[in-house]
Coordinates of all heavy atoms in Angstrom, one line a residue:
M1 N 40.0 179.1 154.8 CA 40.9 178.5 155.7 C 40.1 178.0 157.0 O 39.0 178.3 157.2 CB 41.8 179.6 156.1 CG 43.1 179.2 157.0 SD 43.9 177.8 156.6 CE 45.2 178.4 155.5
H2 N 40.8 177.2 157.7 CA 40.2 176.6 159.0 C 40.5 177.4 160.3 O 41.3 178.3 160.2 CB 40.7 175.2 159.0 CG 42.2 175.3 159.5 ND1 43.2 175.6 158.6 CD2 42.9 175.1 160.6 CE1 44.3 175.6 159.2 NE2 44.2 175.3 160.5
D3 N 39.8 177.1 161.3 CA 40.2 177.7 162.6 C 41.3 176.8 163.2 O 41.2 175.6 163.2 CB 39.0 177.7 163.4 CG 37.9 178.7 163.1 OD1 38.4 179.7 162.4 OD2 36.8 178.5 163.3
G4 N 42.1 177.3 163.9 CA 43.2 176.6 164.6 C 44.5 177.1 164.4 O 44.8 178.2 163.8
P5 N 45.7 176.4 164.9 CA 47.0 176.9 164.8 C 47.4 176.9 163.3 O 47.0 176.1 162.6 CB 47.8 175.9 165.6 CG 47.0 174.7 165.6 CD 45.5 175.1 165.5
V6 N 48.3 178.0 163.0 CA 48.8 178.1 161.6 C 50.3 178.3 161.7 O 50.8 178.7 162.7 CB 48.1 179.2 160.9 CG1 46.7 179.0 160.7 CG2 48.4 180.5 161.7
L7 N 50.9 177.9 160.7 CA 52.3 178.2 160.3 C 52.3 179.2 159.2 O 51.6 179.0 158.2 CB 53.1 177.0 159.9 CG 53.2 175.9 161.1 CD1 53.9 174.6 160.4 CD2 54.1 176.4 162.1
R8 N 53.1 180.2 159.3 CA 53.3 181.2 158.3 C 54.5 181.0 157.4 O 55.6 180.8 158.0 CB 53.3 182.7 158.9 CG 53.5 183.8 157.8 CD 53.0 185.0 158.3 NE 51.6 185.0 158.4 CZ 50.9 186.1 158.5 NH1 51.4 187.3 158.6 NH2 49.5 186.0 158.6
T9 N 54.3 181.1 156.2 CA 55.4 180.8 155.2 C 55.3 181.8 154.1 O 54.2 182.4 154.0 CB 55.5 179.3 154.7 OG1 56.6 179.2 154.0 CG2 54.3 179.0 153.9
N10 N 56.2 181.9 153.2 CA 56.1 182.7 152.0 C 56.0 181.7 150.8 O 56.7 180.7 150.6 CB 57.4 183.5 151.8 CG 57.4 184.6 152.9 OD1 56.4 185.3 153.2 ND2 58.6 184.8 153.5
I11 N 55.1 182.1 149.9 CA 54.9 181.4 148.7 C 54.9 182.6 147.6 O 54.1 183.5 147.7 CB 53.6 180.7 148.6 CG1 53.5 179.6 149.6 CG2 53.3 180.1 147.2 CD1 52.2 178.8 149.7
G12 N 55.9 182.5 146.8 CA 56.3 183.6 145.9 C 56.6 184.8 146.8 O 57.5 184.7 147.6
D13 N 55.9 185.9 146.6 CA 56.3 187.1 147.3 C 55.2 187.4 148.4 O 55.2 188.5 148.8 CB 56.4 188.3 146.3 CG 57.5 188.2 145.3 OD1 58.4 187.6 145.8 OD2 57.4 188.8 144.2
R14 N 54.5 186.5 148.7 CA 53.5 186.8 149.8 C 53.4 185.8 150.9 O 53.8 184.6 150.8 CB 52.1 186.8 149.2 CG 51.6 185.5 148.6 CD 50.2 185.8 147.8 NE 49.9 184.4 147.2 CZ 49.1 183.5 147.7 NH1 48.7 183.6 148.9 NH2 49.0 182.3 147.1
A15 N 53.1 186.3 152.0 CA 52.9 185.5 153.3 C 51.7 184.7 153.2 O 50.5 185.2 152.8 CB 53.0 186.4 154.5
V16 N 51.7 183.4 153.7 CA 50.5 182.4 153.6 C 50.5 181.7 154.9 O 51.6 181.2 155.4 CB 50.7 181.5 152.4 CG1 49.6 180.5 152.4 CG2 50.8 182.1 151.2
D17 N 49.3 181.7 155.5 CA 49.1 180.8 156.7 C 48.8 179.4 156.3 O 47.8 179.2 155.5 CB 48.0 181.4 157.5 CG 48.4 182.7 158.2 OD1 49.7 183.0 158.4 OD2 47.6 183.5 158.6
L18 N 49.4 178.6 156.8 CA 49.2 177.0 156.6 C 48.6 176.4 157.9 O 49.0 176.7 158.9 CB 50.5 176.4 156.2 CG 51.2 176.9 154.8 CD1 52.4 176.1 154.6 CD2 50.1 176.8 153.6
P19 N 47.8 175.4 157.8 CA 47.4 174.8 158.9 C 48.5 174.1 159.7 O 49.3 173.4 159.1 CB 46.3 173.8 158.3 CG 46.6 173.6 156.9 CD 47.2 174.9 156.5
A20 N 48.5 174.1 161.0 CA 49.7 173.6 161.8 C 49.2 172.4 162.6 O 50.0 172.1 163.6 CB 50.2 174.7 162.7
S21 N 48.2 171.8 162.2 CA 47.7 170.5 163.0 C 47.3 169.5 162.0 O 46.8 169.9 160.8 CB 46.8 170.7 164.0 OG 45.5 171.2 163.3
L22 N 47.3 168.3 162.3 CA 46.7 167.2 161.3 C 45.2 167.5 161.1 O 44.8 167.4 159.9 CB 46.9 165.8 161.9 CG 48.4 165.4 162.0 CD1 48.7 164.0 162.5 CD2 49.1 165.5 160.6
D23 N 44.5 167.8 162.1 CA 43.1 168.1 161.8 C 42.9 169.3 161.0 O 42.0 169.3 160.1 CB 42.3 168.4 163.3 CG 42.1 167.1 164.0 OD1 42.1 165.9 163.5 OD2 41.9 167.2 165.3
G24 N 43.7 170.4 161.2 CA 43.7 171.5 160.4 C 44.0 171.3 158.9 O 43.4 171.7 157.9
I25 N 45.0 170.4 158.6 CA 45.4 170.1 157.2 C 44.3 169.4 156.6 O 43.8 169.7 155.6 CB 46.7 169.3 157.3 CG1 47.9 170.0 157.8 CG2 46.9 168.7 155.9 CD1 49.2 169.1 158.0
R26 N 43.6 168.4 157.4 CA 42.5 167.6 156.8 C 41.4 168.5 156.5 O 40.8 168.4 155.4 CB 42.2 166.6 157.9 CG 41.1 165.5 157.2 CD 40.8 164.4 158.2 NE 40.0 163.4 157.6 CZ 38.8 163.5 157.2 NH1 38.1 164.6 157.4 NH2 38.2 162.4 156.7
A27 N 41.0 169.4 157.4 CA 39.9 170.3 157.2 C 40.1 171.2 155.9 O 39.2 171.6 155.2 CB 39.6 171.1 158.4
S28 N 41.4 171.5 155.7 CA 41.6 172.4 154.6 C 41.6 171.8 153.2 O 41.6 172.5 152.2 CB 42.9 173.2 154.8 OG 44.1 172.3 154.7
L29 N 41.7 170.4 153.2 CA 41.7 169.7 151.9 C 40.3 169.6 151.2 O 39.3 169.5 152.0 CB 42.3 168.3 152.2 CG 43.7 168.2 152.7 CD1 44.0 166.7 153.1 CD2 44.6 168.6 151.6
P30 N 40.2 169.5 150.0 CA 39.0 169.3 149.3 C 38.5 167.9 149.8 O 39.3 167.0 150.1 CB 39.3 169.3 147.8 CG 40.7 169.8 147.7 CD 41.3 169.8 149.0
E31 N 37.2 167.8 149.9 CA 36.6 166.5 150.4 C 37.1 165.3 149.7 O 37.4 164.2 150.3 CB 35.1 166.6 150.2 CG 34.3 165.4 150.9 CD 34.3 165.4 152.3 OE1 34.3 166.5 152.9 OE2 34.5 164.3 152.9
D32 N 37.4 165.4 148.4 CA 37.8 164.1 147.7 C 39.3 163.8 147.8 O 39.7 162.8 147.4 CB 37.6 164.4 146.2 CG 38.4 165.5 145.6 OD1 38.9 166.4 146.3 OD2 38.6 165.5 144.3
R33 N 40.0 164.7 148.6 CA 41.5 164.3 149.0 C 41.6 163.8 150.3 O 42.8 163.3 150.7 CB 42.3 165.6 148.6 CG 42.3 165.8 147.2 CD 43.4 166.9 146.8 NE 44.7 166.4 147.0 CZ 45.7 167.2 147.5 NH1 45.5 168.4 147.7 NH2 46.9 166.6 147.7
R34 N 40.6 164.0 151.2 CA 40.8 163.6 152.6 C 41.0 162.2 152.9 O 41.8 161.9 153.8 CB 39.6 164.1 153.4 CG 39.5 165.7 153.6 CD 38.2 166.2 154.1 NE 38.2 167.6 154.1 CZ 37.2 168.4 154.4 NH1 36.0 167.8 154.8 NH2 37.2 169.6 154.4
E35 N 40.4 161.3 152.2 CA 40.6 159.8 152.4 C 42.0 159.5 152.1 O 42.6 158.7 152.9 CB 39.7 159.1 151.5 CG 39.7 157.5 151.7 CD 38.7 156.8 151.1 OE1 37.6 157.2 150.8 OE2 39.0 155.6 150.6
A36 N 42.6 160.0 150.9 CA 44.1 159.8 150.7 C 45.0 160.3 151.7 O 46.0 159.7 152.1 CB 44.3 160.4 149.3
F37 N 44.6 161.5 152.3 CA 45.4 162.1 153.4 C 45.3 161.1 154.6 O 46.4 160.8 155.2 CB 44.9 163.4 153.8 CG 45.5 164.0 155.0 CD1 46.8 164.6 155.0 CD2 44.8 164.0 156.2 CE1 47.4 165.0 156.1 CE2 45.4 164.5 157.4 CZ 46.6 165.0 157.4
D38 N 44.2 160.7 155.0 CA 44.0 159.8 156.1 C 44.8 158.6 155.9 O 45.5 158.1 156.9 CB 42.5 159.4 156.3 CG 41.6 160.6 156.8 OD1 42.2 161.6 157.3 OD2 40.4 160.5 156.7
R39 N 44.7 158.0 154.8 CA 45.4 156.7 154.4 C 47.0 156.9 154.5 O 47.6 156.2 155.3 CB 45.1 156.2 153.1 CG 45.3 154.8 152.8 CD 44.6 154.3 151.4 NE 44.6 155.3 150.4 CZ 43.4 155.8 149.9 NH1 42.3 155.7 150.6 NH2 43.6 156.7 149.0
E40 N 47.4 158.1 154.0 CA 48.9 158.2 154.0 C 49.5 158.6 155.4 O 50.4 158.0 155.8 CB 49.3 159.4 152.9 CG 50.8 159.4 152.9 CD 51.3 160.4 151.8 OE1 50.4 160.8 151.0 OE2 52.4 160.6 151.6
I41 N 48.8 159.4 156.0 CA 49.3 159.9 157.4 C 49.1 158.8 158.4 O 49.9 158.6 159.3 CB 48.6 161.2 157.9 CG1 49.5 162.0 158.9 CG2 47.2 160.9 158.4 CD1 50.5 162.8 158.1
G42 N 48.0 157.9 158.2 CA 47.7 156.9 159.2 C 48.7 155.7 159.0 O 48.9 155.0 160.0
S43 N 49.2 155.6 157.9 CA 50.2 154.5 157.7 C 51.6 154.8 157.7 O 52.5 153.9 157.5 CB 49.9 153.7 156.3 OG 50.1 154.6 155.3
A44 N 51.9 156.1 157.9 CA 53.2 156.6 157.8 C 54.0 156.2 159.1 O 53.4 156.1 160.2 CB 53.2 158.2 157.8
L45 N 55.3 156.0 159.0 CA 56.1 155.8 160.1 C 56.1 157.2 161.0 O 56.1 158.2 160.3 CB 57.7 155.6 159.7 CG 57.9 154.3 159.0 CD1 59.4 154.2 158.5 CD2 57.7 153.1 160.0
I46 N 56.2 157.1 162.1 CA 56.1 158.3 163.0 C 57.2 159.3 162.7 O 57.0 160.5 162.7 CB 56.1 157.9 164.5 CG1 55.6 159.0 165.4 CG2 57.5 157.5 165.0 CD1 54.2 159.3 165.2
T47 N 58.3 158.9 162.3 CA 59.4 159.8 161.9 C 59.2 160.6 160.5 O 59.6 161.5 160.4 CB 60.7 159.0 161.8 OG1 60.6 157.9 160.8 CG2 61.2 158.5 163.2
D48 N 58.3 160.0 159.8 CA 57.9 160.6 158.5 C 56.7 161.5 158.5 O 56.4 162.3 157.7 CB 57.7 159.6 157.4 CG 58.9 158.7 157.1 OD1 60.1 159.2 157.3 OD2 58.7 157.6 156.6
V49 N 56.0 161.5 159.7 CA 54.7 162.4 159.8 C 54.9 163.8 159.5 O 54.2 164.4 158.9 CB 54.0 162.0 161.1 CG1 53.0 163.1 161.4 CG2 53.5 160.6 161.2
P50 N 56.0 164.5 160.1 CA 56.2 165.9 159.8 C 56.4 166.2 158.4 O 55.8 167.2 157.9 CB 57.3 166.3 160.7 CG 57.5 165.1 161.8 CD 57.0 163.9 161.1
L51 N 57.2 165.5 157.7 CA 57.3 165.7 156.3 C 56.0 165.5 155.5 O 55.7 166.3 154.6 CB 58.5 164.8 155.7 CG 58.7 165.0 154.1 CD1 59.1 166.4 153.8 CD2 59.8 164.1 153.8
I52 N 55.3 164.5 155.7 CA 54.2 164.2 155.0 C 53.1 165.2 155.4 O 52.5 165.6 154.4 CB 53.5 162.8 155.4 CG1 54.6 161.7 154.8 CG2 52.2 162.5 154.9 CD1 54.3 160.3 155.4
A53 N 53.0 165.6 156.6 CA 52.0 166.7 156.9 C 52.4 168.0 156.3 O 51.5 168.7 155.7 CB 52.0 167.0 158.4
A54 N 53.6 168.3 156.2 CA 54.1 169.5 155.5 C 53.7 169.5 154.0 O 53.2 170.5 153.5 CB 55.6 169.8 155.8
Q55 N 53.9 168.4 153.4 CA 53.6 168.2 152.0 C 52.1 168.4 151.7 O 51.8 169.1 150.8 CB 54.1 166.9 151.4 CG 55.7 166.8 151.4 CD 56.1 165.4 151.1 OE1 55.4 164.3 151.3 NE2 57.3 165.3 150.5
W56 N 51.3 167.8 152.7 CA 49.9 167.9 152.5 C 49.3 169.3 152.7 O 48.3 169.7 152.3 CB 49.2 166.9 153.3 CG 49.1 165.6 152.6 CD1 50.0 164.6 152.8 CD2 48.1 165.1 151.7 NE1 49.6 163.5 152.0 CE2 48.4 163.7 151.4 CE3 46.9 165.6 151.2 CZ2 47.7 163.0 150.6 CZ3 46.2 164.7 150.3 CH2 46.6 163.5 150.0
S57 N 50.0 170.0 153.6 CA 49.5 171.4 154.0 C 49.8 172.4 153.0 O 49.1 173.5 153.0 CB 50.1 171.8 155.3 OG 51.6 172.2 155.2
L58 N 50.8 172.1 152.1 CA 51.0 173.1 151.0 C 50.0 173.3 149.9 O 49.6 172.1 149.4 CB 52.4 172.9 150.4 CG 53.7 173.0 151.3 CD1 54.9 172.5 150.6 CD2 53.9 174.4 151.7
P59 N 49.7 174.4 149.5 CA 48.8 174.6 148.3 C 49.6 174.3 147.0 O 50.8 174.3 147.0 CB 48.3 176.1 148.4 CG 49.5 176.8 149.1 CD 50.1 175.8 150.1
Q60 N 48.8 173.9 146.0 CA 49.4 173.6 144.8 C 50.3 174.6 144.3 O 51.4 174.3 143.7 CB 48.3 173.5 143.6 CG 48.8 172.8 142.4 CD 49.4 171.4 142.6 OE1 48.8 170.5 143.2 NE2 50.7 171.3 142.0
E61 N 50.1 175.9 144.4 CA 51.0 176.9 144.0 C 52.4 176.8 144.6 O 53.4 176.9 144.0 CB 50.5 178.3 144.5 CG 51.3 179.6 144.2 CD 50.7 180.8 144.8 OE1 49.7 180.8 145.4 OE2 51.3 181.9 144.5
A62 N 52.5 176.3 145.9 CA 53.8 176.2 146.5 C 54.5 174.9 146.0 O 55.7 174.9 145.8 CB 53.7 176.0 148.0
R63 N 53.7 173.8 145.7 CA 54.4 172.7 145.1 C 54.9 173.0 143.7 O 55.9 172.5 143.3 CB 53.4 171.5 145.2 CG 53.1 171.1 146.6 CD 52.3 169.8 146.6 NE 50.9 169.8 145.9 CZ 49.8 170.2 146.6 NH1 49.8 170.6 147.8 NH2 48.7 170.2 146.1
D64 N 54.1 173.7 142.9 CA 54.6 174.2 141.6 C 55.9 175.0 141.6 O 56.8 174.9 141.0 CB 53.5 175.0 140.9 CG 52.3 174.2 140.7 OD1 52.3 172.9 140.7 OD2 51.3 174.8 140.2
E65 N 55.9 175.9 142.6 CA 57.1 176.7 142.9 C 58.3 175.9 143.2 O 59.4 176.0 142.7 CB 56.9 177.7 144.0 CG 58.0 178.7 144.2 CD 57.7 179.6 145.3 OE1 56.9 180.7 145.0 OE2 58.1 179.5 146.5
D66 N 58.2 174.8 144.0 CA 59.2 173.9 144.5 C 59.7 173.1 143.3 O 60.9 172.9 143.1 CB 58.7 173.0 145.6 CG 58.7 173.7 146.9 OD1 59.1 174.8 147.1 OD2 58.0 173.0 147.7
E67 N 58.7 172.6 142.5 CA 59.1 171.8 141.3 C 59.8 172.6 140.3 O 60.8 172.0 139.7 CB 57.8 171.2 140.7 CG 58.0 170.3 139.5 CD 59.0 169.2 139.9 OE1 58.8 168.5 140.9 OE2 59.9 168.8 139.0
A68 N 59.5 173.9 140.2 CA 60.2 174.8 139.2 C 61.7 175.0 139.6 O 62.6 174.9 138.9 CB 59.5 176.1 139.1
M69 N 61.9 175.1 141.0 CA 63.3 175.2 141.5 C 64.0 173.9 141.3 O 65.2 174.0 140.8 CB 63.2 175.7 143.0 CG 62.8 177.1 143.2 SD 63.2 177.7 144.9 CE 61.8 176.9 145.8
L70 N 63.4 172.8 141.5 CA 64.1 171.5 141.3 C 64.5 171.4 139.9 O 65.5 170.9 139.5 CB 63.2 170.4 141.8 CG 63.1 170.2 143.3 CD1 62.0 169.3 143.7 CD2 64.5 169.9 143.9
Q71 N 63.6 171.7 139.0 CA 63.8 171.6 137.5 C 65.0 172.5 137.1 O 65.9 172.0 136.4 CB 62.6 171.9 136.7 CG 62.7 171.5 135.3 CD 63.1 170.0 135.1 OE1 62.5 169.1 135.6 NE2 64.2 169.6 134.3
Q72 N 65.0 173.7 137.7 CA 66.1 174.7 137.4 C 67.4 174.0 137.8 O 68.5 174.1 137.1 CB 65.9 175.9 138.1 CG 67.0 176.9 138.0 CD 66.8 178.2 138.7 OE1 65.6 178.6 139.2 NE2 67.8 179.0 138.9
L73 N 67.5 173.4 139.0 CA 68.7 172.8 139.5 C 69.1 171.5 138.6 O 70.2 171.3 138.3 CB 68.6 172.3 140.9 CG 68.5 173.5 142.0 CD1 68.1 172.9 143.3 CD2 69.7 174.2 142.0
R74 N 68.1 170.7 138.2 CA 68.3 169.5 137.4 C 68.9 170.0 136.0 O 69.6 169.2 135.4 CB 67.0 168.7 137.1 CG 66.5 168.0 138.3 CD 65.2 167.2 137.9 NE 64.5 166.7 139.0 CZ 63.4 167.0 139.5 NH1 62.6 167.9 138.8 NH2 62.9 166.5 140.6
N75 N 68.4 171.1 135.6 CA 69.0 171.7 134.2 C 70.4 172.4 134.4 O 70.9 172.8 133.4 CB 68.0 172.7 133.6 CG 66.7 172.1 133.2 OD1 66.6 171.0 133.0 ND2 65.6 173.0 133.2
G76 N 71.0 172.2 135.6 CA 72.3 172.9 135.8 C 72.4 174.3 136.0 O 73.4 174.9 136.0
D77 N 71.2 175.0 136.2 CA 71.1 176.4 136.4 C 71.1 176.7 137.8 O 70.0 176.5 138.5 CB 69.9 177.0 135.7 CG 69.6 178.5 135.9 OD1 70.5 179.0 136.6 OD2 68.7 179.0 135.3
F78 N 72.2 177.1 138.4 CA 72.2 177.4 139.9 C 72.1 178.9 140.2 O 72.4 179.3 141.3 CB 73.6 176.9 140.4 CG 73.8 175.3 140.1 CD1 74.6 174.9 139.1 CD2 73.1 174.5 140.9 CE1 74.8 173.6 138.9 CE2 73.3 173.1 140.7 CZ 74.1 172.7 139.7
S79 N 71.6 179.7 139.3 CA 71.5 181.1 139.5 C 70.4 181.3 140.5 O 69.4 180.6 140.4 CB 71.1 181.8 138.2 OG 69.9 181.4 137.6
G80 N 70.7 182.2 141.5 CA 69.7 182.4 142.5 C 69.9 181.6 143.8 O 69.1 181.9 144.8
F81 N 70.8 180.6 143.7 CA 71.0 179.7 144.7 C 72.4 180.0 145.4 O 73.3 180.4 144.7 CB 70.9 178.3 144.4 CG 69.7 177.8 143.8 CD1 69.3 177.9 142.5 CD2 68.6 177.3 144.9 CE1 68.0 177.5 142.1 CE2 67.4 176.9 144.4 CZ 67.1 177.0 143.0
T82 N 72.5 179.9 146.6 CA 73.9 179.9 147.3 C 74.2 178.7 148.0 O 73.3 178.0 148.5 CB 73.8 181.1 148.4 OG1 72.8 180.9 149.3 CG2 73.7 182.4 147.5
S83 N 75.4 178.5 148.1 CA 76.0 177.3 148.8 C 76.2 177.6 150.3 O 76.5 178.7 150.7 CB 77.3 176.9 148.3 OG 78.0 175.9 149.0
L84 N 75.9 176.6 151.2 CA 76.1 176.8 152.6 C 77.7 176.7 152.8 O 78.1 177.2 153.9 CB 75.4 175.7 153.5 CG 73.9 175.7 153.3 CD1 73.3 174.5 154.1 CD2 73.4 177.0 153.9
D85 N 78.4 176.2 152.0 CA 79.8 176.1 152.1 C 80.6 177.3 151.6 O 81.9 177.3 151.6 CB 80.3 174.8 151.4 CG 79.8 173.6 152.0 OD1 79.4 173.6 153.2 OD2 79.5 172.6 151.2
G86 N 79.9 178.4 151.1 CA 80.6 179.5 150.6 C 80.4 179.7 149.1 O 79.5 179.0 148.5
P87 N 81.1 180.5 148.4 CA 80.9 180.7 146.9 C 81.1 179.5 146.1 O 81.9 178.7 146.5 CB 81.9 181.8 146.6 CG 82.3 182.4 148.0 CD 82.1 181.3 149.0
S88 N 80.3 179.3 145.1 CA 80.4 178.3 144.2 C 81.8 178.3 143.4 O 82.2 179.4 143.0 CB 79.3 178.3 143.3 OG 79.5 177.4 142.1
P89 N 82.4 177.2 143.2 CA 83.8 177.3 142.5 C 83.4 177.7 140.9 O 84.3 178.2 140.2 CB 84.3 175.9 142.5 CG 83.2 175.0 143.1 CD 82.2 175.9 143.7
T90 N 82.2 177.4 140.6 CA 81.9 177.8 139.1 C 81.5 179.3 139.1 O 81.2 179.8 137.9 CB 80.9 177.0 138.6 OG1 79.6 177.1 139.3 CG2 81.2 175.5 138.7
G91 N 81.2 179.9 140.1 CA 80.7 181.3 140.1 C 79.3 181.3 139.8 O 78.7 182.5 139.7
A92 N 78.5 180.2 139.9 CA 77.2 180.2 139.6 C 76.2 180.8 140.5 O 75.0 181.2 140.2 CB 76.6 178.7 139.3
D93 N 76.7 181.1 141.9 CA 75.9 181.7 142.8 C 76.0 183.2 142.8 O 75.6 183.8 143.7 CB 76.1 181.1 144.2 CG 77.6 181.2 144.5 OD1 78.5 181.6 143.8 OD2 77.9 180.9 145.8
R94 N 76.7 183.8 141.8 CA 76.9 185.2 141.8 C 75.8 186.0 140.9 O 75.3 185.4 140.1 CB 78.4 185.6 141.3 CG 79.3 185.0 142.3 CD 80.7 185.4 141.9 NE 81.5 184.4 142.7 CZ 82.7 184.2 142.4 NH1 83.3 184.8 141.4 NH2 83.4 183.3 143.2

């Protein structure tokens, strides 16, 4: 990990510290990914920088977890998810 500010999140069942600055994200990347990061973050609209930075800061394990949840939803399996509007009419959130 790098020195500098961090954000704490959970990946799976464990707390993980992620770099919380663009320099920190860049320093945490493998050398062969830094140029792509520089290119993407440098050409991004200012409004998109937070999302792009967050995506680059996540380790592969977190991206895999997110993809698995998206695939579960695409497959129509809503178990483990809750609606912000209250109980699901199909009862899938129970």
Side-chain angles (χ1 to χ4, degrees):
M1 185 49 87
H2 69 286
D3 293 328
V6 296
L7 295 173
R8 181 160 283 195
T9 189
N10 291 315
I11 299 175
D13 293 332
R14 63 186 173 89
V16 176
D17 289 337
L18 300 176
S21 69
L22 295 177
D23 286 342
I25 293 168
R26 188 179 193 286
S28 71
L29 294 171
E31 187 71 36
D32 64 336
R33 296 190 63 217
R34 291 177 183 172
E35 187 177 320
F37 171 76
D38 291 342
R39 203 171 30 255
E40 186 171 353
I41 208 78
S43 65
L45 292 174
I46 196 71
T47 55
D48 294 338
V49 169
L51 177 60
I52 293 168
Q55 291 169 335
W56 277 92
S57 72
L58 291 173
Q60 187 62 46
E61 177 184 4
R63 291 191 297 274
D64 292 346
E65 185 179 278
D66 289 347
E67 184 57 38
M69 285 191 286
L70 287 171
Q71 192 57 50
Q72 179 182 341
L73 292 171
R74 286 183 193 117
N75 292 338
D77 178 359
F78 302 102
S79 60
F81 294 93
T82 56
S83 170
L84 296 176
D85 299 325
S88 164
T90 64
D93 58 350
R94 295 180 199 169

